[in-house]
Amino acid sequence: MNKHVGTETIRQWALKDIGRSNLELVEAAKPVPADNEVLVKIAAVSLNYRDNLLVETGLGFSRPNGQPMVPGSDAAGEVAAVGSAVTRFKPGDQVISTFMAGWVEGLGPGTARQPTSATLGGPLKGLLADYAVLDQECWVKAPKSLNAAAASTLVCAGLTAWTALVERGRLRAGQTVVVQGTGGVALFGLQIAAAHGAETLVISGDDAKLERAKALGATHGINRHNQDWVEAVWEMTGDRGADHILEIIGGAHLGKSLEAAAVGGRVSLIGILEGFDVSGSFAMLARKRLIVEGIQVGHRRSLEDLVRAVDRAGIKPVIDAEYEMADLPVALDHLARGPFGKIVVAVNPKK
Amino acid sequence: MNKHVGTETIRQWALKDIGRSNLELVEAAKPVPADNEVLVKIAAVSLNYRDNLLVETGLGFSRPNGQPMVPGSDAAGEVAAVGSAVTRFKPGDQVISTFMAGWVEGLGPGTARQPTSATLGGPLKGLLADYAVLDQECWVKAPKSLNAAAASTLVCAGLTAWTALVERGRLRAGQTVVVQGTGGVALFGLQIAAAHGAETLVISGDDAKLERAKALGATHGINRHNQDWVEAVWEMTGDRGADHILEIIGGAHLGKSLEAAAVGGRVSLIGILEGFDVSGSFAMLARKRLIVEGIQVGHRRSLEDLVRAVDRAGIKPVIDAEYEMADLPVALDHLARGPFGKIVVAVNPKK
Amino acid sequence: MNKHVGTETIRQWALKDIGRSNLELVEAAKPVPADNEVLVKIAAVSLNYRDNLLVETGLGFSRPNGQPMVPGSDAAGEVAAVGSAVTRFKPGDQVISTFMAGWVEGLGPGTARQPTSATLGGPLKGLLADYAVLDQECWVKAPKSLNAAAASTLVCAGLTAWTALVERGRLRAGQTVVVQGTGGVALFGLQIAAAHGAETLVISGDDAKLERAKALGATHGINRHNQDWVEAVWEMTGDRGADHILEIIGGAHLGKSLEAAAVGGRVSLIGILEGFDVSGSFAMLARKRLIVEGIQVGHRRSLEDLVRAVDRAGIKPVIDAEYEMADLPVALDHLARGPFGKIVVAVNPKK
Amino acid sequence: MNKHVGTETIRQWALKDIGRSNLELVEAAKPVPADNEVLVKIAAVSLNYRDNLLVETGLGFSRPNGQPMVPGSDAAGEVAAVGSAVTRFKPGDQVISTFMAGWVEGLGPGTARQPTSATLGGPLKGLLADYAVLDQECWVKAPKSLNAAAASTLVCAGLTAWTALVERGRLRAGQTVVVQGTGGVALFGLQIAAAHGAETLVISGDDAKLERAKALGATHGINRHNQDWVEAVWEMTGDRGADHILEIIGGAHLGKSLEAAAVGGRVSLIGILEGFDVSGSFAMLARKRLIVEGIQVGHRRSLEDLVRAVDRAGIKPVIDAEYEMADLPVALDHLARGPFGKIVVAVNPKK
């Protein structure tokens, strides 16, 4: 727990207080791994919607001792050094981070009163830095088939889609999956579903993005400006409806997903673009025996499963743009505009 | 399918049009079973909240050919005659009805566009009659340990609680179950949970009912007028929360259930006393990885499981009052006031 | 139930008694569908190992009234006529048969004392005939993407692999599947696993067959004459072992599968080439927490799922040879030698 | 990991080499907890069949550096001291041990080549000592409703039955459970099944033990000397068979369990009294779609669930006899004769 500190310095993003103007690239002491810790030379950090929320709202996290927060949770890099008690990794290993400390498998930590929040990049120190240390239990071997930028996108976006569709959803060939939009989780949902032989319907307001989604393997694209997407799902499935829906918009939009779902279908709650309170019709829920499940990224064993799946099935994460370390603010702006897939910050690009 | 008609007459409740004044006890021809049908001498019909809704709103069902509807879905009785192709039953068998025609097991009928509604007592002809015929697939052997009045309560109320807690919920000893109120489903939830060695917390606004619930085996009673029931659940479970919640109130009340639920907990949507649209916090759903599932009674195999469980575990359904056939309106009034357990109409009481 | 009989005649294979010499192509009256029945003009029947066992051993089935048995369970064809109460099909529909009458979903029929055997082609009348009638519940819509010969292979071989890997096994991308040999079930196992993004290891004693399996998408082939296949599985999976094994050889060979299986892995018992009694090490079973499950083809809902998966994922069943109706004995000989995939009898080939 | 050693001495059982004559009660240095460790004053250790095997065969474990082994895995006691990094416990807490180090939840450790064996009392140091230290992750809070002797029996025997019936088996009220014999796991199986409202059939060769089992809540006792127990199970269940069978005898006896099992039933492999190789009929397995699963005690989350269940459902473990620390050899003799329930060694009985 005691982080020994060396004399070398590293670059690190720090958020002194809420607000973009308080985000600074600073110098910090290079961390030294304690007995159970692994020091990683970060190569890439991929950004999430949540990172912008942290900068703009603080997400309700207190800053202990007034210390600046370090944003960024989804990193890939190379093990630079290991503590004396480390058994899971050795220097030179390519690794990715796990979003939620200590959730190895099963239900996971937390209580009814205090749902867990031991998550990286707030409240825990994040990874937008040249080097970072975490307990050895908080890293996972990276897939062999991806470079660091692509590997970093699995940590939250990839794992969220995997948890919803596979770990919890038992996705199988021949089922129908609806994904909303073309952001990071949506495109992973599309690719994971396609890798399992499922039919995929992508909903977007942008024909160009729908074309790109089809090039990635989407069975159908539905432009929600041109047609009622629920009616479109009914028609495309011969009235059967969708077995899985990734609800990324949230709020009252859940009601539409309930209409689009097949009997016994599953709606995975992932996003909150339209509001923190979700709502929908009891009649749809009861008469179709639907399941609505809240998804919070996923556990480490699932991430290890996803890594194997990515290597085996040849899934290539979609990166809309890569930015240099110093350009984090530009990257966050791009993220706020709604990328096609993921935005990645290259921290220590291999030369 | 063609219902042959004999010359004997029977009593039958008929609803000519929406509204209590259109509910009449009439004479009708005694039905004769077709090849696959079973004729049952009805002994008892237990009432549900839904029966009052049918009388008052019609539930949106059309009356084919302007025919009056026959209410009542939950019957117990004795097989009086069987069609030539019937293999599942013989005269003299004690049976109970199944609420949803054709749902034997698995996901069940219906599509995304047309959720199923082949339910008895609207739109299908109900069972508040001296005799009724149904396809042999729509009856189940009654439990040996219950009389007809008690057996009839399993069909909807018992099976709904069983589906939520056992068939879908995988209830196990040591878990915590919250039931809302002391109506028919709530008390079955309490008794089924107790029979599985679970802790049961009953919420009510009436101390006398809470005392009766404790006499039935409730671990704790929570008077929602005296305390915040969510806080009470947290305290009683050492902050762990409830593994299963039977959400019977509905509407925005779902939000409270999400707060009371344990990490990985399940909220079963059953009732709609507070509104047809349910809503709650995304943060609770996601950060505790909760499951919200719509429950529509259940399938026939589950009902057969429940019958075995009732016989084995000695569950005795709670009947608040029994009324005679002619007193259906009085029985419906009692139901509307909120009974403690079930209201039953004795159709052909054994002498 | 009463099969009306018309005046037209059809061809039909009949087994008067045990033994190949008692197998004859005879004339029979063309069946007429009863109220709930569907008459199908058979286009193709695919053969199973079990069909040879029936001819050679009778499989223990009695011949009621000394009637000859009609072999063949896996048929595809076109609906020629329907009974008056039929709602699931209309003339012109392309359909395939279901192997086990009355198993729609769930646990299925049978008791501990009397495991079910209402299977086609013994003891029930089989489908090696120009026309056949079955209850409407015993047919399923054929996949749109396959011709009749290919569609007929789904009924037993395809569904057995699907039940083992998907319905029961929850197969997911990135897992490792071992299939033994290159017969009908094995190749379906390989193709279904590949369609789900899984790694597939095929074991065979024939390098040429291994090459053909790789062309179908097998990740690795293991020639059991050249190496210890268990050791090979360990090496290929970095010691992790196989998540799913289709045990097709049976007998004491199960012991090897238990060694090859991963912690928490599943061995699906399908075949009995090496003996009716299966055996293996308790230590392997307990210390790796393995599941061994007996697979008996599967239920109708699974077959419908498989049909959707075949259409969606583009699975093309492997047919080693097609024979004409009159050449059933030659086809059975080919089957006995061990085909690569399936052997099909073309009954009424489309001109 | 480095176990600091103090100057106080404790008593400890040591096995210098294979054979009862090498089992000695010796003096040893009292352990001092390292940072992550918890020192427990042992109050009771319950014995397992495996403890006798260790003494007599060594179970194939090597003794590192020729160090004597310390037997005993199932302990209850009070936390005496905690290391500086311990967060899960404080001095004074009542705790029980976990049998398999590091299996918190999910599939658990091990590979196909090297199934896990990080188990206490061989190869890891056991707990038959006045004091013992283990990593904080290897202890669980004891149930409030049991004394130390009873609590210690949950660690292996209780958890094995729980894993088989509840965690893996999804036991529910109304199901039928067969337990073989009246040893520790069998009686826990009986009590856990009864606590879930299940029917329980106990098989034994001893009428007196059957009477005692009935007094514990067994629905029926079957004396296997007087009748074919499979036939008895069929009769008692109306031919339906048993949903769960705890196979404790092993070897070819598995074949009988397969006959007694219901369609879709589960046979949990637990014991090996009749041999290390288990065997049975493929026809039973396939035609009844049975699951045979190897059970290796269970994971920590399940043990925590069991503790809650014991407190809630009032399960009182059956202890056949308690022995003093010095009488371990006598206790092992009693164990070898086949006790009714558990044998416990009282290490530091509360005065």
Side-chain angles (χ1 to χ4, degrees):
Chain A
M1 292 295 172
N2 59 326
K3 304 246 166 55
H4 309 290
V5 173
T7 54
E8 293 177 71
T9 59
I10 62 169
R11 296 173 301 163
Q12 183 172 285
W13 278 96
L15 182 68
K16 288 180 302 181
D17 206 340
I18 290 172
R20 182 68 76 80
S21 59
N22 292 303
L23 190 62
E24 287 180 18
L25 187 60
V26 300
E27 286 216 331
K30 182 176 172 183
V32 175
D35 285 1
N36 287 303
E37 288 182 334
V38 170
L39 175 72
V40 171
K41 182 179 184 185
I42 305 296
V45 173
S46 88
L47 301 180
N48 297 299
Y49 186 71
R50 175 181 190 278
D51 294 315
N52 262 330
L53 286 181
L54 178 79
V55 173
E56 262 132 59
T57 73
L59 283 171
F61 300 131
S62 59
R63 286 172 296 117
N65 313 321
Q67 284 287 311
M69 303 189 77
V70 177
S73 53
D74 303 8
E78 182 174 304
V79 173
V82 299
S84 61
V86 167
T87 54
R88 286 170 49 88
F89 301 100
K90 60 180 192 309
D93 284 349
Q94 304 299 314
V95 296
I96 57 177
S97 54
T98 61
F99 177 62
M100 203 178 312
W103 190 15
V104 174
E105 190 155 5
L107 291 181
T111 66
R113 192 191 290 271
Q114 286 278 18
T116 185
S117 54
T119 48
L120 294 177
L124 302 182
K125 189 181 172 185
L127 303 176
L128 270 162
D130 286 331
Y131 286 84
V133 290
L134 291 175
D135 190 283
Q136 63 169 330
E137 302 293 337
C138 298
W139 300 103
V140 159
K141 290 253 173 74
K144 293 193 177 71
S145 58
L146 299 184
N147 64 17
S152 72
T153 67
L154 302 184
V155 176
C156 276
L159 182 53
T160 298
W162 178 268
T163 298
L165 294 175
V166 181
E167 176 68 20
R168 299 293 309 166
R170 305 182 57 165
L171 176 68
R172 49 178 71 179
Q175 288 189 319
T176 300
V177 176
V178 167
V179 303
Q180 299 172 356
T182 53
V185 176
L187 292 189
F188 266 114
L190 161 57
Q191 292 179 297
I192 288 168
H196 284 82
E199 175 181 53
T200 50
L201 313 184
V202 180
I203 301 163
S204 167
D206 180 334
D207 280 336
K209 287 180 174 176
L210 288 173
E211 283 312 306
R212 292 172 72 185
K214 280 194 223 170
L216 280 170
T219 317
H220 298 288
I222 301 171
N223 188 325
R224 61 184 153 77
H225 295 324
N226 303 344
Q227 55 187 323
D228 177 347
W229 74 264
V230 171
E231 180 69 35
V233 170
W234 289 352
E235 279 170 21
M236 284 167 180
T237 59
D239 282 2
R240 213 178 144 267
D243 301 287
H244 303 266
I245 299 181
L246 301 189
E247 175 60 54
I248 292 172
I249 297 178
H253 190 263
L254 169 61
K256 289 196 165 299
S257 293
L258 301 180
E259 290 182 55
V263 168
R266 293 176 54 88
V267 179
S268 297
L269 293 176
I270 291 169
I272 47 168
L273 302 178
E274 279 198 6
F276 280 92
D277 261 27
V278 293
S279 61
S281 151
F282 170 81
M284 282 296 120
L285 277 155
R287 292 179 65 206
K288 297 200 285 192
R289 286 89 69 186
L290 302 180
I291 294 171
V292 173
E293 187 163 342
I295 303 295
Q296 189 188 30
V297 187
H299 51 55
R300 192 182 78 192
R301 202 258 298 146
S302 273
L303 184 58
E304 291 165 342
D305 289 349
L306 171 59
V307 165
R308 252 195 306 274
V310 160
D311 276 344
R312 207 72 81 196
I315 295 171
K316 300 295 177 197
V318 179
I319 295 174
D320 198 9
E322 284 190 58
Y323 292 89
E324 291 191 23
M325 180 70 158
D327 293 335
L328 175 63
V330 189
L332 290 171
D333 286 342
H334 187 160
L335 185 67
R337 289 193 306 271
F340 186 85
K342 297 294 292 177
I343 301 295
V344 177
V345 174
V347 179
N348 276 305
K350 271 215 170 110
K351 278 131 206 172
Chain B
M1 292 296 170
N2 59 323
K3 304 250 165 54
H4 310 290
V5 173
T7 54
E8 293 178 71
T9 60
I10 62 169
R11 295 173 303 164
Q12 183 171 283
W13 279 97
L15 181 68
K16 286 180 305 182
D17 206 340
I18 291 173
R20 182 68 77 79
S21 60
N22 293 304
L23 190 62
E24 287 180 17
L25 186 59
V26 300
E27 287 216 329
K30 181 178 172 182
V32 175
D35 286 1
N36 289 301
E37 288 182 335
V38 170
L39 175 72
V40 171
K41 183 179 184 184
I42 305 295
V45 172
S46 88
L47 302 180
N48 297 300
Y49 185 73
R50 175 180 189 280
D51 294 315
N52 262 330
L53 285 182
L54 179 79
V55 173
E56 262 132 59
T57 73
L59 282 171
F61 301 132
S62 59
R63 286 171 296 118
N65 314 318
Q67 284 286 312
M69 302 189 79
V70 177
S73 53
D74 303 7
E78 183 175 304
V79 172
V82 299
S84 61
V86 167
T87 54
R88 286 169 50 87
F89 301 99
K90 61 181 190 309
D93 284 350
Q94 303 300 313
V95 296
I96 57 177
S97 54
T98 60
F99 177 62
M100 202 178 312
W103 189 15
V104 175
E105 188 155 8
L107 291 181
T111 65
R113 192 191 290 271
Q114 286 277 17
T116 185
S117 54
T119 48
L120 293 178
L124 302 182
K125 189 180 173 185
L127 304 176
L128 269 163
D130 286 331
Y131 285 84
V133 291
L134 290 175
D135 190 283
Q136 63 170 330
E137 302 293 339
C138 298
W139 300 102
V140 159
K141 289 253 174 73
K144 294 192 177 73
S145 58
L146 298 184
N147 64 18
S152 74
T153 68
L154 302 184
V155 177
C156 276
L159 182 52
T160 298
W162 178 269
T163 298
L165 293 176
V166 181
E167 175 68 20
R168 299 293 309 165
R170 304 182 56 165
L171 176 68
R172 50 178 71 181
Q175 289 189 317
T176 300
V177 176
V178 168
V179 304
Q180 299 172 356
T182 55
V185 177
L187 292 189
F188 267 113
L190 160 57
Q191 292 179 297
I192 289 168
H196 284 82
E199 175 181 54
T200 50
L201 313 185
V202 180
I203 301 163
S204 168
D206 181 334
D207 279 336
K209 287 182 173 173
L210 287 173
E211 282 313 306
R212 294 172 71 185
K214 280 193 223 170
L216 280 169
T219 316
H220 298 289
I222 302 171
N223 188 324
R224 62 185 152 76
H225 295 323
N226 301 345
Q227 55 186 323
D228 176 348
W229 74 264
V230 171
E231 180 69 34
V233 170
W234 289 352
E235 278 169 22
M236 285 166 180
T237 59
D239 282 2
R240 212 177 145 269
D243 300 288
H244 303 266
I245 299 180
L246 300 188
E247 175 59 54
I248 292 172
I249 298 178
H253 190 264
L254 169 61
K256 287 195 167 301
S257 293
L258 301 181
E259 290 181 55
V263 168
R266 294 175 54 88
V267 179
S268 297
L269 293 176
I270 291 169
I272 47 169
L273 302 177
E274 279 198 8
F276 280 92
D277 261 27
V278 293
S279 60
S281 150
F282 170 81
M284 281 296 120
L285 277 154
R287 292 179 64 205
K288 297 201 284 192
R289 285 87 70 185
L290 302 178
I291 294 171
V292 173
E293 186 162 341
I295 303 296
Q296 189 188 30
V297 187
H299 51 55
R300 192 181 79 193
R301 200 257 300 147
S302 273
L303 184 58
E304 291 165 343
D305 289 348
L306 172 58
V307 165
R308 252 194 307 273
V310 160
D311 277 345
R312 208 73 81 195
I315 295 171
K316 299 296 177 197
V318 179
I319 295 174
D320 198 8
E322 284 191 58
Y323 291 90
E324 291 191 24
M325 179 70 158
D327 292 335
L328 175 63
V330 189
L332 290 171
D333 287 343
H334 188 161
L335 185 67
R337 290 193 306 273
F340 185 85
K342 298 294 292 178
I343 301 295
V344 177
V345 175
V347 178
N348 277 305
K350 268 212 172 112
K351 278 134 207 172
Chain C
M1 292 294 173
N2 59 325
K3 303 248 167 54
H4 311 289
V5 173
T7 54
E8 293 178 71
T9 61
I10 62 168
R11 296 172 302 164
Q12 182 171 284
W13 278 97
L15 181 68
K16 288 181 303 181
D17 206 341
I18 290 174
R20 182 69 75 80
S21 60
N22 293 302
L23 190 62
E24 287 181 18
L25 186 59
V26 300
E27 286 217 331
K30 182 178 172 182
V32 175
D35 285 1
N36 288 302
E37 288 181 335
V38 170
L39 174 72
V40 171
K41 182 178 184 184
I42 305 296
V45 173
S46 88
L47 302 180
N48 297 300
Y49 186 71
R50 176 180 189 280
D51 294 314
N52 262 330
L53 285 182
L54 178 80
V55 173
E56 262 133 58
T57 73
L59 283 171
F61 300 130
S62 60
R63 285 172 297 116
N65 314 319
Q67 284 286 310
M69 302 189 78
V70 177
S73 53
D74 303 7
E78 182 174 303
V79 172
V82 300
S84 61
V86 167
T87 53
R88 286 170 50 87
F89 301 100
K90 61 180 191 309
D93 283 350
Q94 304 300 314
V95 295
I96 57 177
S97 54
T98 61
F99 177 63
M100 203 178 312
W103 189 15
V104 175
E105 190 155 6
L107 291 181
T111 65
R113 192 190 290 270
Q114 285 277 17
T116 186
S117 53
T119 48
L120 294 177
L124 302 182
K125 189 180 172 185
L127 303 176
L128 268 163
D130 286 331
Y131 285 84
V133 290
L134 290 175
D135 190 282
Q136 63 169 330
E137 301 294 338
C138 298
W139 301 101
V140 159
K141 289 253 173 73
K144 293 192 177 73
S145 58
L146 299 184
N147 64 18
S152 73
T153 67
L154 301 184
V155 175
C156 275
L159 182 54
T160 298
W162 178 269
T163 298
L165 294 175
V166 181
E167 176 68 20
R168 299 294 310 165
R170 303 182 58 166
L171 176 68
R172 49 179 69 181
Q175 288 189 318
T176 299
V177 176
V178 167
V179 304
Q180 298 172 356
T182 53
V185 177
L187 292 188
F188 267 113
L190 160 57
Q191 292 179 296
I192 289 168
H196 284 82
E199 175 181 54
T200 51
L201 312 185
V202 180
I203 301 163
S204 168
D206 180 333
D207 279 337
K209 286 180 173 177
L210 287 173
E211 284 312 306
R212 292 171 73 185
K214 280 194 223 169
L216 281 169
T219 316
H220 299 288
I222 301 171
N223 188 325
R224 62 184 154 75
H225 295 323
N226 302 345
Q227 55 187 323
D228 177 347
W229 74 263
V230 171
E231 181 69 36
V233 170
W234 289 352
E235 278 169 22
M236 284 167 181
T237 59
D239 282 1
R240 215 179 142 266
D243 301 286
H244 303 267
I245 299 181
L246 301 189
E247 175 60 55
I248 292 173
I249 297 177
H253 190 263
L254 169 61
K256 289 197 166 301
S257 293
L258 301 180
E259 291 181 55
V263 168
R266 293 175 55 88
V267 179
S268 297
L269 293 176
I270 290 169
I272 47 168
L273 302 178
E274 280 197 7
F276 280 91
D277 261 27
V278 294
S279 61
S281 151
F282 170 80
M284 282 296 120
L285 277 154
R287 292 178 65 205
K288 297 201 284 193
R289 287 87 72 185
L290 301 180
I291 294 170
V292 173
E293 186 163 342
I295 303 295
Q296 188 189 29
V297 187
H299 52 55
R300 192 182 78 193
R301 201 258 297 147
S302 272
L303 184 58
E304 291 165 342
D305 289 349
L306 172 58
V307 164
R308 251 194 308 274
V310 160
D311 276 344
R312 208 72 81 196
I315 294 172
K316 300 296 177 195
V318 179
I319 295 174
D320 198 9
E322 284 190 58
Y323 291 89
E324 292 191 24
M325 180 70 158
D327 293 335
L328 175 64
V330 190
L332 290 171
D333 286 343
H334 188 161
L335 185 67
R337 289 193 306 270
F340 186 85
K342 298 293 292 178
I343 301 295
V344 177
V345 175
V347 179
N348 276 305
K350 270 211 172 113
K351 278 133 205 167
Chain D
M1 292 297 170
N2 59 323
K3 304 245 168 52
H4 310 290
V5 173
T7 55
E8 294 177 70
T9 60
I10 62 169
R11 295 173 302 164
Q12 182 171 284
W13 279 97
L15 182 68
K16 287 181 304 182
D17 206 340
I18 291 174
R20 182 69 75 80
S21 60
N22 293 303
L23 190 61
E24 287 180 18
L25 186 60
V26 300
E27 286 216 332
K30 182 177 171 183
V32 175
D35 286 0
N36 288 302
E37 288 182 335
V38 171
L39 175 72
V40 171
K41 183 179 185 186
I42 305 295
V45 172
S46 89
L47 301 179
N48 297 300
Y49 185 72
R50 176 180 189 281
D51 294 315
N52 262 329
L53 285 181
L54 178 80
V55 173
E56 262 133 59
T57 73
L59 282 172
F61 301 131
S62 59
R63 285 173 296 117
N65 314 319
Q67 284 287 309
M69 302 188 79
V70 177
S73 54
D74 303 7
E78 182 174 303
V79 172
V82 300
S84 61
V86 166
T87 54
R88 286 169 50 89
F89 302 100
K90 60 181 190 311
D93 284 350
Q94 305 299 315
V95 296
I96 57 177
S97 55
T98 61
F99 177 62
M100 204 179 310
W103 189 15
V104 175
E105 189 155 7
L107 292 180
T111 65
R113 192 191 291 270
Q114 286 279 18
T116 185
S117 54
T119 49
L120 293 177
L124 302 183
K125 189 180 174 186
L127 304 176
L128 268 164
D130 286 330
Y131 285 84
V133 290
L134 290 175
D135 190 283
Q136 64 169 330
E137 302 293 339
C138 298
W139 300 102
V140 159
K141 288 253 173 74
K144 293 192 177 73
S145 58
L146 299 183
N147 64 18
S152 73
T153 67
L154 302 184
V155 176
C156 276
L159 183 53
T160 298
W162 178 268
T163 298
L165 294 176
V166 181
E167 176 67 21
R168 299 293 311 165
R170 304 182 57 164
L171 176 68
R172 48 179 71 181
Q175 289 189 318
T176 300
V177 176
V178 168
V179 303
Q180 299 172 356
T182 54
V185 176
L187 292 189
F188 266 113
L190 161 56
Q191 292 178 297
I192 289 168
H196 284 84
E199 175 181 55
T200 50
L201 313 184
V202 179
I203 302 163
S204 168
D206 181 333
D207 279 336
K209 287 181 172 175
L210 287 173
E211 284 312 306
R212 293 172 73 186
K214 280 193 223 170
L216 281 170
T219 316
H220 299 288
I222 302 171
N223 188 324
R224 61 185 155 75
H225 295 323
N226 302 346
Q227 55 187 322
D228 177 346
W229 74 263
V230 170
E231 181 68 35
V233 170
W234 290 351
E235 279 170 21
M236 285 167 180
T237 59
D239 283 2
R240 212 177 146 269
D243 301 287
H244 303 267
I245 299 180
L246 300 189
E247 175 60 53
I248 292 172
I249 297 177
H253 190 263
L254 169 61
K256 288 197 167 299
S257 293
L258 301 181
E259 289 181 56
V263 168
R266 293 175 55 87
V267 179
S268 297
L269 294 176
I270 290 169
I272 46 169
L273 302 177
E274 278 198 8
F276 280 92
D277 261 27
V278 293
S279 61
S281 150
F282 171 80
M284 282 294 120
L285 277 154
R287 291 179 65 206
K288 297 202 283 192
R289 286 87 69 185
L290 302 179
I291 294 170
V292 173
E293 186 163 341
I295 303 295
Q296 190 188 29
V297 188
H299 51 55
R300 193 181 78 193
R301 201 257 300 147
S302 272
L303 184 57
E304 291 165 342
D305 289 349
L306 172 59
V307 165
R308 251 194 308 273
V310 161
D311 277 343
R312 207 72 81 196
I315 294 171
K316 299 296 177 197
V318 179
I319 295 174
D320 198 8
E322 284 191 57
Y323 292 90
E324 290 189 26
M325 179 70 159
D327 293 335
L328 175 63
V330 189
L332 289 171
D333 286 343
H334 188 162
L335 185 68
R337 289 193 305 272
F340 186 85
K342 297 294 294 176
I343 301 295
V344 177
V345 175
V347 179
N348 277 305
K350 267 210 173 115
K351 279 132 207 171

